[in-house]
Amino acid sequence: MLRLFRVLERLRACREVSARNRHWTKITELSARLSSTKAAPRFRRMDYQDAVCTLNTLQTNASALEQVKRERGHPELQLQAMRGFLQRAGLKVDELDRLNIIHVTGTKGKGSTCAFTEQILRNYGFRTGFYSSPHLVQVRERIRINGQPIGKELFTKYFWQVYCRLEETKDAHGGSMPAYFRFLTILAFHIFLQEKVDLAVFEVGIGGAYDCTNIIRRPWVCGISSLGIDHTSILGDTIEKIAWQKGGIFKPGVPAFTVKQPDGPKKVLQERAEEIGCSLSVCPDLEEYQSEGSLRLGLAGHHQRSNASLALQLSHTWLQRHFLTDPASSSPVEFSGVSPAPAFQPSPAMIKGLAETEWPGRNQTLKHGPVTYFLDGAHTTRSMQACVRWFNEIAPQHERNAGGPVVRVLLFNATGERDCGAMLKLLVPCFFDFAVFCPNITEAIATCNADQQNFNVSVENMLTRCLDNQQSWRVLNGQEEKPEAELLIGGGLALVAERHRDTLVFPCILSALQWISQGRDSVLSDPNKCVIPVKPSINAKAALLREAVNIHVLITGSLHLVGGALKHLDPALNS
């Protein structure tokens, strides 16, 4: 165990040096040449990886951490700080009104709702901006123009415009720089304004009331997807407290929509709408819309139907306002109680948009020869319930066509304060032959992509979490005895921390995927990929994987885990 920690800490040290030190001289020289916060600075060309590595230094910026501590007891200071950073970046809050924003929050499904909404409005020919989080493979995925991640050149260009303005002014503001998510939010505003989008769909980061996206003053419409328990240390430990935070995105006179919610949070949302002064409507079931036949969705899973209904209401309301002669003169819609939203007849563009929506990492299936991957970034108990329901529907369909024995493998990790035990308990009835755990580290080498780096959690912390999850899985499956430690693999590198029967812990995503696939996935067998040697005794345990006709792998528990897996499984996402 100790040797494994040391190997991973060396990896961690290399990653930190790469992101913090390799580019600092360039940044200092660049900053010294700036002369104005009003206009984009002139600077020599720096590449995409320079920009991403510099961005990563904001993950644990010391002044940002102190700022978060100060603001914890006074959350309203978060928005005040965000306005200050926006101004230092050369933007004004009232400029954001020009973006014709759709603002969406929720616990589960807010990203999918945004994806449906953006696709629908793009089908009408509008130039769309879409801001979401987290990214799966590359940070550019968070900021999209017309459905595509912004290109590397544009990202690099706009990154340095915003970063250097903030860097130039930090001494006059106590050395403060915005933390990672705040910076990306400011960058998204800047890019969408510069690229002159017709509308922008903004997904809230955490909560709503004090989320940094909530400096938006005048969205055209707001939406709240399904609510549940998550981020309790920030949002509160009851669903009612969380609903209060989510309802904070409501704005006076701006129509708001939500999906069907339990009575407790529904009452809180009603009170928030009345307090703020806006209408609040509850979306109908998707089956109620007046359409010939059932509406087909591009995203799998029954839970996507409520997200699609919310997207129809958001896009329909936005279009109603857009086609007014003078949208600015539209009458504000004040609170008059919670009402059911009408189930109108979707237009052909709406029907096409719902069917064409893609949102990687959510109920996604990838088939690589005999190995099929089922990927879903579920990270709460409610979203895991939906994931299990989806997997139990789709996996048997694939198994019926296999023509022989199929081995089921779970690849799991979870981060933060998530209740891993509760999520794993939901996965037990899926009857996995192997349960594999690994941290959200893409590969155990120091050259991993800067987009995947995370300095907010120590490697020791991540690995300990994996071992705890492994123990929870054993207990849930009636295997409570302490396992024997099998620490070493070929070449003396500690890659398998512990093993007991059908559970293993690997130090990175690539090593886990390579062991699971046993050389049967041609993508993972690419000669350009480092093949990590595994101790013969460990490989011998994988006979079941080598002999099966098909291997079915469910990858879940974290969007970061899913993103790291997709980095290896879908090379197109790295371009």
Side-chain angles (χ1 to χ4, degrees):
M1 178 72 69
L2 180 60
R3 297 176 68 179
L4 177 56
F5 280 134
R6 286 174 178 167
V7 170
L8 293 181
E9 283 301 339
R10 286 199 297 272
L11 164 63
R12 184 63 161 196
C14 289
R15 294 163 72 222
E16 291 193 12
V17 167
S18 174
R20 298 185 192 285
N21 298 332
R22 187 162 67 90
H23 309 286
W24 189 250
T25 301
K26 291 182 183 179
I27 296 164
T28 304
E29 292 173 355
L30 181 58
S31 180
R33 298 169 60 186
L34 306 181
S35 60
S36 172
T37 62
K38 300 293 185 183
R42 305 175 72 86
F43 53 89
R44 63 188 177 88
R45 187 177 185 83
M46 297 175 74
D47 68 19
Y48 174 72
Q49 287 299 310
D50 288 325
V52 177
C53 287
T54 303
L55 171 65
N56 287 345
T57 67
L58 300 177
Q59 289 186 30
T60 52
N61 178 274
S63 61
L65 290 176
E66 285 302 313
Q67 186 178 52
V68 169
K69 291 177 183 177
R70 291 195 303 270
E71 294 169 356
R72 189 165 292 167
H74 305 279
E76 66 278 2
L77 293 179
Q78 296 177 29
L79 294 181
Q80 182 180 325
M82 183 64 179
R83 293 186 191 99
F85 287 127
L86 191 74
Q87 185 175 17
R88 284 170 52 191
L91 299 172
K92 296 178 181 177
V93 174
D94 57 6
E95 288 183 88
L96 308 185
D97 298 344
R98 303 205 312 261
L99 293 176
N100 309 326
I101 290 170
I102 297 172
H103 203 191
V104 181
T105 189
T107 305
K108 183 182 74 170
K110 63 182 187 290
S112 299
T113 297
C114 290
F116 279 127
T117 304
E118 187 274 341
Q119 179 71 56
I120 287 170
L121 292 172
R122 183 154 37 99
N123 275 10
Y124 277 90
F126 295 111
R127 181 171 172 80
T128 61
F130 179 10
Y131 178 62
S132 65
S133 62
H135 62 277
L136 293 177
V137 178
Q138 299 194 55
V139 69
R140 301 179 294 112
E141 298 166 23
R142 297 181 183 229
I143 303 172
R144 297 170 180 257
I145 302 288
N146 282 340
Q148 296 300 312
I150 186 169
K152 289 183 178 180
E153 287 191 11
L154 282 182
F155 180 93
T156 304
K157 167 189 169 182
Y158 290 129
F159 173 87
W160 291 116
Q161 288 180 359
V162 173
Y163 184 88
C164 292
R165 288 166 178 167
L166 290 162
E167 174 74 15
E168 183 192 26
T169 57
K170 73 174 185 179
D171 289 344
H173 293 83
S176 66
M177 290 287 283
Y180 188 88
F181 184 77
R182 284 181 179 175
F183 180 90
L184 286 170
T185 304
I186 294 168
L187 182 61
F189 288 138
H190 177 63
I191 289 173
F192 294 155
L193 286 167
Q194 293 296 313
E195 292 295 306
K196 295 180 172 54
V197 299
D198 296 317
L199 68 116
V201 180
F202 269 80
E203 177 189 353
V204 168
I206 296 176
Y210 304 117
D211 183 76
C212 63
T213 64
N214 208 32
I215 60 169
I216 297 166
R217 301 183 315 165
R218 295 175 184 168
W220 279 24
V221 61
C222 297
I224 298 183
S225 64
S226 179
L227 296 181
I229 302 293
D230 197 16
H231 299 294
T232 54
S233 64
I234 299 172
L235 305 180
D237 56 2
T238 69
I239 195 169
E240 287 77 16
K241 291 177 182 177
I242 291 171
W244 187 92
Q245 293 280 353
K246 305 288 185 180
I249 71 166
F250 294 159
K251 298 296 183 297
V254 175
F257 294 87
T258 186
V259 301
K260 293 176 180 177
Q261 308 281 6
D263 289 341
K266 179 183 176 182
K267 184 174 184 293
V268 173
L269 293 179
Q270 177 178 340
E271 291 169 351
R272 288 290 264 164
E274 184 174 11
E275 169 197 349
I276 293 170
C278 68
S279 67
L280 178 61
S281 304
V282 178
C283 300
D285 292 333
L286 196 63
E287 291 75 16
E288 296 179 39
Y289 288 86
Q290 303 156 24
S291 174
E292 294 182 8
S294 60
L295 293 170
R296 189 173 68 84
L297 305 183
L299 304 184
H302 183 80
H303 58 286
Q304 296 292 359
R305 302 186 72 76
S306 64
N307 300 329
S309 178
L310 178 55
L312 285 172
Q313 295 294 332
L314 294 175
S315 56
H316 181 68
T317 302
W318 191 93
L319 288 165
Q320 284 182 318
R321 179 169 180 181
H322 173 78
F323 287 118
L324 290 173
T325 305
D326 181 10
S329 67
S330 59
S331 301
V333 186
E334 298 180 354
F335 181 79
S336 59
V338 178
S339 60
F344 55 85
Q345 182 172 357
S347 69
M350 290 177 174
I351 294 171
K352 188 169 182 283
L354 292 178
E356 292 179 344
T357 299
E358 296 179 354
W359 197 224
R362 290 81 170 175
N363 303 128
Q364 181 181 6
T365 303
L366 286 177
K367 186 167 178 59
H368 290 186
V371 187
T372 303
Y373 302 92
F374 304 90
L375 303 104
D376 188 67
H379 53 272
T380 69
T381 51
R382 286 198 67 191
S383 59
M384 189 58 72
Q385 286 172 338
C387 172
V388 167
R389 180 177 178 177
W390 164 71
F391 180 75
N392 283 336
E393 288 174 355
I394 193 168
Q397 296 173 17
H398 286 263
E399 288 165 3
R400 281 193 292 270
N401 299 323
V406 176
V407 173
R408 285 189 176 186
V409 183
L410 170 66
L411 178 57
F412 180 91
N413 190 43
T415 60
E417 60 192 20
R418 271 84 192 203
D419 188 345
C420 297
M423 287 193 283
L424 289 170
K425 185 176 182 180
L426 293 169
L427 288 160
V428 169
C430 293
F431 302 108
F432 293 102
D433 299 288
F434 294 92
V436 177
F437 304 91
C438 69
N440 295 338
I441 298 173
T442 54
E443 48 199 298
I445 55 176
T447 57
C448 58
N449 195 315
D451 292 89
Q452 298 282 332
Q453 293 177 343
N454 181 355
F455 300 119
N456 290 327
V457 185
S458 72
V459 171
E460 181 177 348
N461 225 328
M462 288 190 282
L463 185 61
T464 300
R465 186 70 171 268
C466 291
L467 296 172
D468 289 344
N469 291 339
Q470 182 192 38
Q471 177 63 18
S472 295
W473 184 257
R474 288 196 304 265
V475 171
L476 288 166
N477 285 275
Q479 305 168 348
E480 300 185 39
E481 65 270 25
K482 185 173 177 60
E484 298 177 2
E486 292 193 40
L487 298 179
L488 299 181
I489 66 166
L493 179 62
L495 282 185
V496 179
E498 289 186 319
R499 183 184 185 281
H500 179 71
R501 296 182 186 174
D502 301 324
T503 69
L504 301 95
V505 174
F506 288 87
C508 70
I509 296 167
L510 178 58
S511 60
L513 290 173
Q514 287 181 336
W515 186 86
I516 292 168
S517 62
Q518 289 294 303
R520 303 178 67 185
D521 181 345
S522 59
V523 174
L524 292 174
S525 301
D526 188 316
N528 295 320
K529 283 194 181 295
C530 173
V531 178
I532 300 174
V534 177
K535 190 175 178 181
S537 62
I538 299 300
N539 257 341
K541 309 292 186 181
L544 194 64
L545 294 168
R546 292 190 291 272
E547 295 167 1
V549 171
N550 287 127
I551 302 170
H552 288 174
V553 190
L554 175 62
I555 305 175
T556 190
S558 164
L559 272 170
H560 299 287
L561 173 69
V562 168
L566 283 171
K567 176 182 183 294
H568 296 297
L569 299 174
D570 190 351
L573 294 175
N574 294 302
S575 59

